[in-house]
Amino acid sequence: MFKDAKEQLEVIKRGIVEIVSENELINKLEKSKKENTPLRVKLGLDPTAPDIHIGNAIPIHKLRAFQDLGHKAVLIIGDYTAVVGDPSGVNKTRPQLSHEDVLKNAQTYLDQAGKILDLENTELVYNGDWFKKLSFEEVIHLTSTITVARMLERDDFSKRYSSGSPISLHEFIYPLMQGYDSLVVKCDIELGGTDQLFSLLIGRDIQRDGGMEPQVAITTPLLEGLDGNKKMSKSLGNYIGITEDPNEMFGKAMSLPDELMKKYFELATDLPMDRINGLLSSETHPKKAKMEMAKAIVSRYHSDEDAENALVEFDKIFKDHKLPTDIPEVTIASNDLKDGKIWIVELLKKCEFAKTNGDARRLIVQGGVKMDDNKITDHALAIEPENGAILKVGKRRFAKLSVKT
RNA sequence: GGGGGGAUACCCGAGUGGCCAAAGGGGACAGACUGUAAAUCUGUUGACGUAGUCUUCGAAGGUUCGAAUCCUUCUCUCCCCA
């Protein structure tokens, strides 16, 4: 039923950073094959925000790969760990969420993770189930498994510590909780981004302490966000959500710096490596390559057809400078009008192209505002809105006026 | 418990009585160019119907003709000592 360890290893090793340790993994794979028992592969998701993006989808895809190899996916929804807030890779204390918010997010996480995983064959657990029952005594025992020195060794903590930034005590508990999860669900393997390595290793200690064979830790790369610089994250707004509209997804992918194409190709698309290498060779124009990449990303979460359409739409707007197929309508009611006219600044605010008058004026002064293809240069202008007129701001914001009087 | 720092716009960070709506960088937005929402270059980035006026530098009071800057109290935070 299971493939050879070697064959499995090949699949497992694609697009990952590190295995701790590979030998242990091979042993586990061999044992699993011999005994015909699937390995338990754990991934913890903290539902701290309502959306999954293509960066944090990377380990989820890896989990799916394990499912396809016949292993058991154990998905932990970190409803309690999310309340604590993962300190990994951040330079400040995360805001603590209410348990209520977390549960709300958890549902959307599940819906979204279901796009990647085979949920039918996923063991789904909430870590609040055990954490809320843990006694204080047990918590104390848990905290005794690690020393302060080791905690402070961590890059993120040591950086914060030496830069004089605050570190709250509860943040030390986070990796212990994550490690304790591993003990409870008795997993053989845990997946996580490279920033999770510390927590994954703590899991090994805690499992060992609990009399278990320690899990194998597998880390996946972190994906830089759209700015090409910082890690993709919801709070930085530099992300592509996996449920985003195809056109939006395509456009965002196209806005990536060229240098990141290889990484995105590898981690965010399903294209085979030789195809990717072909596209990245000097024979292919970078723009063409990037379009293929954007298409592949859209295909992964929508369909090939959606991807193709998104490409056509993109060219239409940005290459041919034509109007998009769907333009949001903005209704102008009679009480928006004075003597049948509306001040252009008001109109821009009405269309949500500007938050303040100054904002709107700036856009006009900078030459970024067009009405039916005519540049508007006068910020005092009052216009008589025509039904169906197209207001354009910048390169990619459009509104169709719908006048109701 | 004692002593000494720090808190500045979306973020980081300069500014230690008027020249401060506050340098610089990042981000964001706009323009030019192009190969795209790449790269590069330029500009803009508190509010107000465009005029000067108003509100901003952790919070509240105070000193002063005038306060981000000085004083008092408070909140949060970092370091050192115990």
Side-chain angles (χ1 to χ4, degrees):
Chain A
M1 159 190 188
F2 288 100
K3 290 183 183 164
D4 283 346
K6 224 180 240 170
E7 252 177 283
Q8 293 191 51
L9 202 58
E10 207 172 295
V11 177
I12 294 166
K13 283 176 83 171
R14 181 181 156 165
I16 61 147
V17 176
E18 197 181 359
I19 303 178
V20 180
S21 68
E22 194 166 326
N23 284 339
E24 287 177 37
L25 177 60
I26 292 168
N27 289 340
K28 281 179 194 275
L29 288 171
E30 279 171 350
K31 193 173 159 209
S32 133
K33 182 176 167 60
K34 204 168 109 201
E35 297 175 359
N36 200 26
T37 314
L39 293 174
R40 296 172 61 73
V41 186
K42 168 199 165 194
L43 176 67
L45 294 180
D46 281 1
T48 47
D51 283 301
I52 293 178
H53 56 64
I54 64 173
N56 48 32
I58 293 170
I60 305 178
H61 284 285
K62 187 48 72 178
L63 186 61
R64 173 66 200 230
F66 273 102
Q67 281 190 318
D68 292 341
L69 289 170
H71 297 292
K72 186 75 190 174
V74 181
L75 189 66
I76 299 190
I77 300 293
D79 58 333
Y80 257 50
T81 34
V83 170
V84 171
D86 184 3
S88 300
V90 292
N91 52 18
K92 58 175 122 186
T93 309
R94 285 187 193 267
Q96 286 182 265
L97 301 175
S98 76
H99 195 241
E100 205 175 296
D101 286 338
V102 166
L103 286 180
K104 217 182 290 163
N105 291 342
Q107 192 48 52
T108 59
Y109 259 48
L110 274 185
D111 294 342
Q112 296 186 11
K115 285 176 77 107
I116 300 167
L117 293 174
D118 172 10
L119 283 184
E120 294 284 299
N121 289 305
T122 301
E123 188 176 312
L124 178 72
V125 283
Y126 287 75
N127 64 11
D129 286 355
W130 48 88
F131 281 124
K132 67 183 163 207
K133 290 189 206 135
L134 216 56
S135 72
F136 197 63
E137 194 182 346
E138 287 167 302
V139 174
I140 290 170
H141 177 78
L142 194 58
T143 56
S144 71
T145 52
I146 183 148
T147 62
V148 171
R150 228 187 123 194
M151 215 47 139
L152 286 173
E153 248 171 40
R154 292 184 61 180
D155 213 41
D156 25 48
F157 282 148
S158 67
K159 265 191 206 140
R160 282 164 65 183
Y161 192 68
S162 58
S163 75
S165 307
I167 301 170
S168 293
L169 198 53
H170 77 270
E171 296 182 70
F172 280 1
I173 309 285
Y174 185 91
L176 296 170
M177 290 173 81
Q178 190 173 336
Y180 187 75
D181 285 346
S182 293
L183 178 66
V184 174
V185 303
K186 297 190 179 7
C187 56
D188 299 294
I189 298 171
E190 177 166 9
L191 305 176
T194 49
D195 57 345
Q196 298 292 311
L197 183 62
F198 183 81
S199 296
L200 303 190
L201 296 178
I202 295 291
R204 286 163 62 85
D205 291 338
I206 292 176
Q207 285 178 318
R208 221 183 265 124
D209 187 62
M212 270 186 70
E213 184 183 306
Q215 66 185 5
V216 169
I218 299 180
T219 55
T220 54
L222 297 180
L223 193 61
E224 285 86 348
L226 302 177
D227 53 279
N229 205 345
K230 302 205 180 79
K231 176 184 151 187
M232 183 177 284
S233 82
K234 287 148 248 172
S235 47
L236 290 172
N238 61 355
Y239 69 98
I240 301 177
I242 66 169
T243 54
E244 278 186 71
D245 161 85
N247 291 333
E248 194 63 20
M249 227 181 214
F250 193 96
K252 280 187 177 181
M254 289 303 287
S255 81
L256 278 167
D258 288 0
E259 298 77 70
L260 244 57
M261 270 200 271
K262 186 172 166 40
K263 201 163 179 187
Y264 268 68
F265 260 129
E266 260 186 77
L267 299 171
T269 77
D270 296 315
L271 299 182
M273 282 315 290
D274 50 351
R275 168 110 172 95
I276 293 173
N277 289 330
L279 285 167
L280 290 173
S281 72
S282 53
E283 273 121 74
T284 314
H285 192 286
K287 186 194 169 190
K288 168 101 170 66
K290 199 185 278 182
M291 290 191 111
E292 288 300 320
M293 179 199 79
K295 228 165 72 175
I297 292 172
V298 176
S299 299
R300 192 179 210 183
Y301 298 104
H302 296 280
S303 66
D304 292 349
E305 199 192 339
D306 287 335
E308 190 55 44
N309 290 340
L311 183 146
V312 171
E313 185 77 5
F314 187 88
D315 262 349
K316 189 173 166 191
I317 300 168
F318 297 106
K319 190 172 141 218
D320 306 330
H321 305 288
K322 295 215 178 103
L323 296 174
T325 313
D326 296 311
I327 303 177
E329 276 198 13
V330 174
T331 306
I332 311 294
S334 51
N335 58 1
D336 293 319
L337 301 175
K338 241 183 252 166
D339 303 327
K341 292 182 174 178
I342 183 166
W343 182 30
I344 182 68
V345 165
E346 279 303 329
L347 183 62
L348 286 166
K349 287 202 293 187
K350 177 105 190 146
C351 296
E352 292 178 339
F353 292 152
K355 281 205 244 356
T356 63
N357 291 11
D359 234 6
R361 276 208 197 87
R362 228 169 275 136
L363 289 170
I364 296 164
V365 171
Q366 291 179 143
V369 178
K370 281 181 182 171
M371 177 69 90
D372 281 337
D373 242 14
N374 300 312
K375 190 180 283 186
I376 293 175
T377 49
D378 177 10
H379 61 247
L381 189 70
I383 54 164
E384 218 168 304
E386 269 172 59
N387 201 32
I390 302 294
L391 184 66
K392 181 183 181 191
V393 169
K395 292 185 179 72
R396 46 185 267 255
R397 288 185 284 172
F398 301 86
K400 184 186 265 175
L401 304 188
S402 157
V403 185
K404 300 246 162 70
T405 46

